[in-house]
Structures are given as structure tokens and as C-alpha cells.
Amino acid sequence: MASAVDGLKQRFMDVSKPDADGIYRHGRDKRKQRTDIAMASLRGLWKEAVESVPFDVPEHGVGLAAVGSLARGQIGPSSDIDVVLMVEPHTLKDDQLNELANKLWYPLWDSGLDLDHAVRTRQQCESVTDHDLPAAMGWLFVQPVAGDTELIEKTAKSILERWRKAARKRLQELLDSASSRLEEFGRLPYLNQPDIKEARGGLRDTVLVSALAASWLADRPHGSYDEAVERLLDVRDCLHVVAGKETNLLLPAYQPKVAAMLGLADPTLPEGEREADAVEGLQTLLATLGRRIAFSLDSTASHARHTLTHEKPRFAFFQMFQPRAGGKREAPTFKTIAPGVVEHEQEVALAVGVEPSEDATLPLRVGVAAAEYGLPINPSTLLNLKHCPVTDKSWDHETRELFIRFLATGQALPPVWEELDFVDLPGRWMPEWLGVRNRPSASAAHRYTIDRHMIEVVSRLGREAPSGMRYDDTQYATLLLAGLLHDIGKRPGVRDHAAEGARHVPVILGRMGFDQRVVKRATLLVREHLTLSQFATGKDPEDPAVGRELAGRVEHDPVLLDMLFDLTRADGSSLGATSGEAITKQYGWSRWREATVHMMYQAAREAMED
């Protein structure tokens, strides 16, 4: 028997086709068309279900509601349908309610789309959303479909009011959920195979921004933020069309076709080169969109936190009788953590009177303070840092020391570097950085983009050498700089990125003013950063000639050999996925790999001793 929702997925696909030239245009209009089709089909389905059950369905007390992407008007070509059958207690008997629900759910399952459904009373909806954060955010955007629309509207209004009343208590829960996703899915701008929904800067973050705005704790951004959201939805739509199913994981197999559908393929380039160029363009687009959305979430959350802080009185009752307070609120407190840099309400901010346009060193002081204290940079402060007169020639002894101190902050480095990268500071310190920024790696073993991979490597470099010695300040600075630049040669058309990188290193570090011994050693490490791993997999460590050859590659210098081992280990351990992830399942630093590399390291040390 025909149903109003028959072939709904195919109908979605029909209105989602790209133009004759293969480009997907007018994504917002296509999303509206899909929403209109879905809502009309669901209303038709409701009518069919009501007419086909052997009992009367009352006009009041039962209705069908749309939630999720459908309610927001953002439904994709293969998105699932999120619906809730609302019912007042005792409106229908349990078996009647069951039969009505089956008349709705089974045709939807047969339509080709996934279905997320529930049957709830108003009280159950309120209870679920009070305790389930995803459910609460879903019910902030509700559209009545059919039946008792007044019941649905009253329930949605009640849940929104409860959300606003509880938002001050639930703010931290919401922010914690964003942090958990960040740990699991990473950041959209820096992933080779991102989940464009769950990664930081993805579509899930846009829902959080709207939820924060709905709480009335902070307004959400507009303008460029809205444009970024719509463009990321275009990426999601193209991914659905290419994959032919609901997925948010932008796998390498989909990327060339998605990039071409978005208009990123240059038709003047030869086949093969065209696809690679389009994928790089896609990665750059995702980085731009992800940064904008992530910054908007951080900014909105920061404003919400400040709202809560400023709502709290800064004085106790007894202070009204103290002459010092004068019965007034005390001034906000600022803790100085670096020259011109303060901690304010658990964020790094600029001290009063600091003029960014006159201080080229300020971004590094802010970065070091944020990393060492484990604090985020205030969004307004971050934007102010754009006005600092930073150039690739504004280096002196102080900035070099701060730069090394920043690189030495370990696991705190990547998130702070990303914040500064949002306002384009790394590219102003080192113009060569822009050549690898947001570039995907050609190797499937790489989880991250080239720039993020290099920062990951730096964050894994410590002072303890494999020989048991401890690097001195100069040696450690050399190792950190080599880690930062080891893949700087991964540019389009380059076959030997290690040799290409070694060509750039003296220019970059020389311009920064580092000592020639540091420059020379860092250049050697970048040139040879693949050598130890290649020797370990292709040569015999028992052959004395092999040990001598490897020792010669590091100029028979035991410290350089130690550095090369540490760089190899950091490079390998930052590749691919961890054991709990299903991204590549290619591990760069297993126990076997470490054992083989260490045997080669030992062979070189013995050759040096002989």
C-alpha cells in the first residue's frame, strides 16, 4: 500500500543534485526544499495513520513533532528523521498508542531514511530534557507536524523556560560535553579525515552556540558565523550525495568528489593533479569554517561565563559596614602572570593600558602564559593580538627565548598554538608556515594536517635523552626547532620533503637570529628525520658497516643521535589513530617499531664508541 513517505530518501536526493556542471549550488534553498518535502510527507503520513487505525484519534492530546536537523531546517540528503509522538496521559490506551505509533514508524523505516523516534508525554519530555543534555538541546528546536500542535508548542515552551532557568547550573555540563567531544574527535581544521559533525568546529558546535543563545546568557555571533554554518552544511550535503548514505566522516575516498562538487577543482589542471589540488582546497575551506565556528563557540561560552560571574555579588554582607568597601561592589581582580598579561576569570587577558599595536612580543607572552597556566585566551584578547606589529623580522633575544619556552610547554602547546593560529600569528612569525598550513598529508598514516602534525611532534619532545643524559638549554632548543620544522618541506610537487625542509631551515632560523650551531644541527635533524626509521626497517643492525653509516649521518655525534632518536619517536607516535579510534588503524610507534629503531640506535652508538 502506498504511503505519503514512500521513496522519501530518493526525493531528497532528487532535489539535492548538483547543477549540470557538477557544482552544488544554492544549498540553503535545497535544505528548505527537503524540509518542506519532509514536513508535507509527515503530515500526509499522519493523516493516513489516523484514518487507518480502528479507533478514533482525538484532535487534542496527541500530536507529532519534528526535532533535530529537520526542526532546524538543516536536514541533509540522507539525514535521519527525528520525530516524537506526543501524547497526554489517558488520551489513548496503550495498545491504541502502540498501533498508531507503528502506523507512523514502519512507513518511515521503509522510506530509505534512518529514523530516530520516541513516544513521550509532556512530563516525560520535561524529565528527559532535565537530565539528558542532548535531548534538551534537541527540544530547543521543535516544529509541530500534525495533531495537537498546541500540546507540542506548550511542551516546547515549557522546556525552553526550564532550560533558561537551569542554564546557569547546566552551563558547565554543556561546556564539558564540548570538551569531551574535542578529546574524542579532535579539531576540524587539523584532521585529514574529520567528522564534520562531531569534531571541534563542526556542526554539533553550532547547536551548542544556539543553545547558549537560547539560555539568554549570551548572544550568538552573526554575519560571517552564519555564512560559515551554511557553507559547512553544504559540505555535509555534498558528502551525503557522494556517499549515498548518512555519514559525517569525510573519508579520503569521498574527498575528491566532495571537493569537486563544492567547485574547488581546477579544470585547467591535468587529471590526478586536479584532484590533489581540490582536496587541498577542501582542507583549507574546512580549516576556515572550523576555526570560525570554534571561535564563535569559545566567544559565546566566554560571554556566558562572564555573565554568570558578574551576576554574583563581589562582596559579602558585612562589607557594607566596612569603610574600605564603602558598601559598593569591589573591583574585579586581575592577577599578573606576565608583563602586560593577566589572569581574569580563568582566562588569559591583556592588562589595563596595554597597547597591542606597539608590542611585537605580546603574542608570545600571552601564548607562554596560557600554556604554562593551562588557561584559554580570552576571545577579545585573541582578536586584539592581530594588531601587534609581528613580522618575520621582529626577532630579538627576548622573543627567541619566549618562542623556545612556548615550544617547551609539552601537551599544553597544541591548543594554545591553535588559538594563535586562528589570528594568523604563526604565519607572521614564519611565512614558510603558510606553505604547509591546513595541508592534508598524502600518507594515510597521518591523522592530522601537516601543520598540526608538526606541533604534535614538538609537544612530545622532552629533555630526557635515550642515553640517560639531560639536554642542556641549547640542545633542547635545537631539538624543539627541528620538531617544529621537520615537515616544512611537504609542499606541492616536492618528492623529497626532508631535503626540501633542510633547504628552508637555515633560512627560517637564520632570519630568527638563532646561533649558527643551533641552525646547523636543526638542519641536519630535519634532513635526516626519516633516516633512523628507514634504517630500522631496511638494514641489518648486526652489520658493522650499517652502524658506521648511520653514525656518519649524524657526524659521529652522540647527542645528535639521541636527538634523532627522540625526533623519530615523536614523529612516529603522532601518526595515525590510537588503539581506541577507528580512523586509520595504522600505528606509527608500536613496541615492535620502537624495538627495531632502538636496535639501530644502539648499532650507531657502538660504531661511535669503536
Side-chain angles (χ1 to χ4, degrees), residues 183-185 447 576-585 587:
E183 289 294 320
E184 183 175 356
F185 295 99
R447 177 185 181 185
T578 63
S579 57
E581 297 168 332
I583 297 176
T584 64
K585 288 296 181 185
Y587 310 112

Side-chain angles (χ1 to χ4, degrees), residues 11-144:
R11 282 187 273 164
F12 279 3
M13 284 293 184
D14 290 341
V15 300
S16 306
K17 291 178 180 178
D19 293 347
D21 59 359
I23 307 299
Y24 184 86
R25 296 185 178 90
H26 310 297
R28 188 199 297 262
D29 294 340
K30 287 182 170 67
R31 286 185 282 278
K32 185 178 185 308
Q33 289 181 56
R34 288 192 295 268
T35 300
D36 291 345
I37 290 171
M39 296 298 280
S41 299
L42 288 172
R43 284 191 287 269
L45 178 65
W46 175 265
K47 183 180 179 182
E48 293 169 358
V50 168
E51 292 175 348
S52 65
V53 293
F55 53 87
D56 291 333
V57 177
E59 294 183 1
H60 300 286
V62 60
L64 186 65
V67 294
S69 62
L70 176 57
R72 294 192 299 271
Q74 297 177 343
I75 193 162
S78 294
S79 294
D80 58 1
I81 298 288
D82 293 332
V83 287
V84 177
L85 179 58
M86 288 285 302
V87 60
E88 289 279 31
H90 313 303
T91 301
L92 293 172
K93 297 177 182 178
D94 288 348
D95 60 331
Q96 292 176 329
L97 185 60
N98 235 10
E99 188 169 353
L100 177 62
N102 288 338
K103 294 290 185 181
L104 296 169
W105 306 156
Y106 279 97
L108 282 169
W109 281 321
D110 294 338
S111 72
L113 291 168
D114 290 333
L115 174 66
D116 191 348
H117 63 90
V119 180
R120 296 273 190 272
T121 65
R122 172 175 171 171
Q123 291 73 22
Q124 287 172 332
C125 287
E126 291 172 344
S127 176
V128 167
T129 54
D130 282 347
H131 299 94
D132 185 334
L133 186 65
M137 289 190 292
W139 268 89
L140 295 177
F141 313 96
V142 181
Q143 289 294 330

Side-chain angles (χ1 to χ4, degrees), residues 25 41 53 58 128 133-134 172 212 233 243-244 247 278 289 317 387 392 449 480 489 499 502 518 533 568 586:
R25 296 185 178 90
S41 299
V53 293
V128 167
L133 186 65
Q172 193 56 51
L212 285 170
L233 286 168
T247 179
L289 302 179
F317 177 76
H387 304 298
D392 60 334
T449 55
L480 292 171
V518 171
S533 183
T568 303
Q586 296 190 29

Side-chain angles (χ1 to χ4, degrees), residues 346-374:
Q346 298 185 319
E347 290 181 333
V348 173
L350 301 183
V352 176
V354 169
E355 182 50 64
S357 62
E358 299 175 359
D359 193 344
T361 312
L362 184 60
L364 281 171
R365 296 204 303 275
V366 169
V368 169
E372 291 184 346
Y373 282 84

